[in-house]
Amino acid sequence: MTSRAPSPRSSGGWPVTERSALATVLGIPPLAAVALAVVLTALGVFVDVLRIGTLGVVFGIAYVVGCVLAVGWVRRRNLFGPMVQPPLLVAVLVPVIVLLVGKTGPGLTETVLMIGAPLVNGFPIMAVATGLTLLIGLLRLIVQRTGPNDAVSRLGRLGVRGRDRDLPEEDEDEEDEPRVSGRRGSVGARGAGRTSGSPRRS
């Protein structure tokens, strides 16, 4: 009788590469995760620009929730995109939405100031969202190991190899010198014995 491997559901979760941050929840594709963060961030920017003319509380909540949901819900094998997207969302969505719905001045200087002010105001919340996203992504990479050849294991092996290279190597020449001298001494001793023991011919 051949033993059959248990199915992912019978073992208490989905395969590691397909699961979200929770073992029992199937992860979503990377495009869906990025779209989730984009929609929530754009909604927060839109509401705050119309409401107060810059980024505020609504943007902060929607932005952080969108980024955290994206990196926590995406499939384990597609973590890279959601981990690096928070700064890109602010850099792209804020200028676009401000230009579409904001009240920009007639000159170039007024337009630049209108776009730059929300970016400056949103920098602290962007730093917080980026830190949370990277932390969650790194924790998932460490906890949800995919096998001996995943990125974390490869980094560990590289670290071990680096430490091995730093260890001092034994000097083989110093070890060989006594052996050579010993062999030379024994040969010399044997030669001396033969010379002293052989009778002289008159």
Side-chain angles (χ1 to χ4, degrees):
M1 295 178 64
T2 58
S3 59
R4 300 179 61 183
S7 62
R9 292 183 182 276
S10 63
S11 62
W14 297 92
V16 177
T17 57
E18 301 295 327
R19 67 179 57 170
S20 65
L22 301 177
T24 56
V25 178
L26 181 64
I28 60 178
L31 290 179
V34 172
L36 175 63
V38 168
V39 170
L40 289 177
T41 302
L43 181 62
V45 175
F46 183 80
V47 171
D48 272 347
V49 169
L50 288 180
R51 185 173 61 94
I52 59 177
T54 187
L55 302 182
V57 178
V58 177
F59 160 77
I61 295 174
Y63 176 57
V64 173
V65 170
C67 293
V68 170
L69 279 179
V71 77
W73 201 356
V74 74
R75 291 182 299 208
R76 163 63 176 77
R77 60 190 174 95
N78 301 123
L79 271 172
F80 180 76
M83 284 178 65
V84 300
Q85 71 175 344
L88 300 176
L89 291 178
V90 174
V92 174
L93 292 178
V94 171
V96 171
I97 295 177
V98 169
L99 288 176
L100 290 177
V101 302
K103 297 178 181 179
T104 59
L108 179 61
T109 304
E110 291 80 1
T111 303
V112 172
L113 291 176
M114 186 68 184
I115 296 173
L119 289 175
V120 173
N121 293 334
F123 182 81
I125 195 65
M126 182 192 71
V128 172
T130 302
L132 287 175
T133 302
L134 290 175
L135 178 61
I136 295 173
L138 291 176
L139 287 177
R140 288 190 62 184
L141 289 175
I142 295 172
V143 175
Q144 296 177 325
R145 303 287 292 274
T146 58
N149 293 322
D150 62 359
V152 178
S153 299
R154 288 197 296 269
L155 288 175
R157 288 197 294 269
L158 288 175
V160 172
R161 292 175 185 173
R163 288 194 297 270
D164 291 341
R165 293 194 191 98
D166 295 336
L167 292 177
E169 297 181 357
E170 296 181 354
D171 192 356
E172 296 180 355
D173 296 334
E174 293 179 1
E175 292 182 354
D176 292 341
E177 284 180 359
R179 298 177 185 175
V180 175
S181 61
R183 286 197 295 269
R184 290 177 181 174
S186 60
V187 173
R190 287 198 297 269
R194 292 175 184 174
T195 304
S196 60
S198 60
R200 294 185 177 179
R201 296 180 181 180
S202 59

